[in-house]
Structure formats: structure tokens, C-alpha cells
Amino acid sequence: MSMTRTGWERRIREFADENGIDLGRSKTQRLALTIHRRAEQMQHVDPDNLVRSTLGYLDPTGEAAVSHVMRSTRA
């Protein structure tokens, strides 16, 4: 069973606090909904990795994002 959206909100807030990221309530809720939807589509999800990857990738362009993903899948 996957985590609820409220559970994702809690994890996001904890992650943001631990890493000094300032997130408002609505931003946290939007991120939680996005992560919740992504997690529903995946079979094996490590919740910490999903939160970290969603908040940690700040690729300015689509090309940079694809390059980042390709590098991380090779490792």
C-alpha cells in the first residue's frame, strides 16, 4: 500500500526542515500531490529517494534534466 498524500506532506516538511528549504503550505501540498501521483505509478519506491529527487533536481532546461537522469541511471 502506498503512502497517503498527508504522509507525503509530512515527509516533505521534515526533509525541507532538515535541509534548510523554505516551503509554504500550498507548495508543500502541491509537491505532495505530485509525489503521490508519481509513487502510485511506480512499483518499488523508496519514499526518501522520491522526496529527495523531487526537491533536489533543479535542472533549468529539458536537455539538462534528461542529461541528469541519464547520468544517474548509468551509475
Side-chain angles (χ1 to χ4, degrees):
M1 181 167 189
S2 65
M3 189 181 309
T4 65
R5 194 169 66 196
T6 304
W8 285 113
E9 286 180 37
R10 189 174 307 117
R11 277 191 179 262
I12 291 168
R13 279 193 299 272
E14 289 172 4
F15 181 86
D17 289 342
E18 290 171 2
N19 292 284
I21 300 172
D22 185 28
L23 293 176
R25 183 176 180 207
S26 64
K27 180 70 173 180
T28 301
Q29 290 173 334
R30 285 194 310 269
L31 284 169
L33 181 58
T34 299
I35 293 171
H36 178 72
R37 287 178 179 161
R38 287 182 190 178
E40 288 292 318
Q41 296 173 356
M42 302 170 123
Q43 279 187 333
H44 305 288
V45 176
D46 177 6
D48 292 330
N49 286 341
L50 193 55
V51 170
R52 191 175 303 109
S53 68
T54 302
L55 293 177
Y57 292 158
L58 302 174
D59 299 316
T61 64
E63 291 84 5
V66 170
S67 175
H68 186 135
V69 169
M70 295 304 289
R71 277 193 314 269
S72 67
T73 57
R74 287 185 201 140

